[in-house]
C-alpha cells in the first residue's frame, strides 16, 4: 500500500535531465545533459552504484527495460543517438548513431520500447522538417536488433503521435494536426 514515504533524494548538486526507477525498485537511474552528460545508478541509500559518461550535447532521456537488464539513454550527443547499458553493471553495450536525412531541420528520438526476450527494441524517431517555415514532425518506428542493426521501419507520416504497446505488436497512431 502506498505510504508516500520518500525512498531516495539526491545528495549531490546536479541537475538531472531524466530520472527513472530500477525495475525492482532498489535504485534510481539519473542522467545529466549538455556538457556534463552522464548516467548514474544510485542505490536507495544515496550511494552511487555506477556512472557512465555519454557524448555531450544531448538531452539524455532514459528508458529501462521491463526485465531490468538494460537501460537506454536516448537523444545522446548532438546527433541524438542511442546508448544501451547493462542496467546492473553499468557496462556500455551499444552505441547507435542515426544519420539525419538530407534536407531536414533536425531529428530526435521520442521514445524507446524494449521488446520481450531478446527481440530487440523499437525506436520512435521524429524527423523535423521546416520547408518555407511550415513546421512538421514525421514519425517512424525503427526496429533494431540487440546489436543496433535495422530490422525494419514503419513510417507513420507527419504530425502524429505514436504509442506502442508493451509487447511491440500494436501501435496507436493519432493525427495531431
Amino acid at each position: 500500500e502506498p505510504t508516500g514515504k520518500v525512498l531516495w533524494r539526491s545528495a549531490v548538486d546536479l541537475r538531472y535531465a531524466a530520472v527513472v526507477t530500477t525495475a525492482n525498485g532498489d535504485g534510481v537511474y539519473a542522467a545529466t545533459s549538455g556538457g556534463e552528460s552522464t548516467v548514474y545508478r544510485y542505490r536507495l541509500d544515496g550511494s552511487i552504484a555506477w556512472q557512465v559518461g555519454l557524448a555531450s550535447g544531448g538531452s539524455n532521456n532514459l528508458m529501462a527495460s521491463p526485465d531490468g537488464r538494460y537501460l537506454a539513454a536516448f537523444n545522446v550527443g548532438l546527433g541524438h543517438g542511442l546508448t544501451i547499458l547493462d542496467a546492473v553493471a553499468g557496462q556500455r553495450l551499444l552505441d547507435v548513431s542515426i544519420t539525419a536525412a538530407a534536407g531536414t531541420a533536425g531529428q530526435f528520438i521520442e521514445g524507446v520500447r524494449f521488446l520481450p526476450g531478446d527481440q530487440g527494441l523499437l525506436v520512435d524517431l521524429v524527423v523535423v522538417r521546416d520547408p518555407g517555415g511550415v513546421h512538421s514532425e514525421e514519425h517512424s518506428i525503427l526496429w533494431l536488433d540487440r546489436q543496433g542493426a535495422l530490422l525494419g521501419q514503419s513510417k507513420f507520416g507527419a504530425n502524429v503521435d505514436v504509442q506502442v504497446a508493451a509487447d511491440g505488436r500494436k501501435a496507436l497512431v493519432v493525427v495531431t494536426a
Side-chain angles (χ1 to χ4, degrees), residues 59-135:
S59 59
N60 302 328
N61 307 92
L62 297 174
M63 173 62 75
S65 66
D67 63 8
R69 294 170 51 197
Y70 305 104
L71 179 68
F74 55 100
N75 291 319
V76 173
L78 298 177
H80 301 285
L82 172 71
T83 297
I84 305 296
L85 303 170
D86 177 305
V88 177
Q91 178 184 3
R92 182 184 308 268
L93 301 174
L94 180 67
D95 287 305
V96 178
S97 296
I98 302 172
T99 304
T104 63
Q107 68 181 23
F108 61 92
I109 297 172
E110 180 73 21
V112 173
R113 169 83 63 196
F114 288 92
L115 297 174
D118 281 327
Q119 298 177 57
L121 62 152
L122 300 177
V123 176
D124 182 359
L125 179 67
V126 180
V127 174
V128 179
R129 298 188 189 279
D130 202 12
V134 178
H135 181 85

Side-chain angles (χ1 to χ4, degrees), residues 14 16 20 22 26-31 38-43 46-54 62-64 68-73 83-93:
L14 293 174
Y16 297 111
V20 297
T22 59
D26 70 346
V28 175
Y29 304 108
T38 303
V39 176
Y40 300 87
R41 184 181 194 276
Y42 289 98
R43 297 177 190 93
S47 64
I48 297 174
W50 52 257
Q51 69 185 63
V52 176
L54 301 172
L62 297 174
M63 173 62 75
R69 294 170 51 197
Y70 305 104
L71 179 68
T83 297
I84 305 296
L85 303 170
D86 177 305
V88 177
Q91 178 184 3
R92 182 184 308 268
L93 301 174

Side-chain angles (χ1 to χ4, degrees), residues 161-177:
D161 186 31
V162 180
Q163 300 294 317
V164 178
D167 66 1
R169 295 180 182 264
K170 295 179 184 173
L172 171 67
V173 180
V174 179
V175 177
T176 58

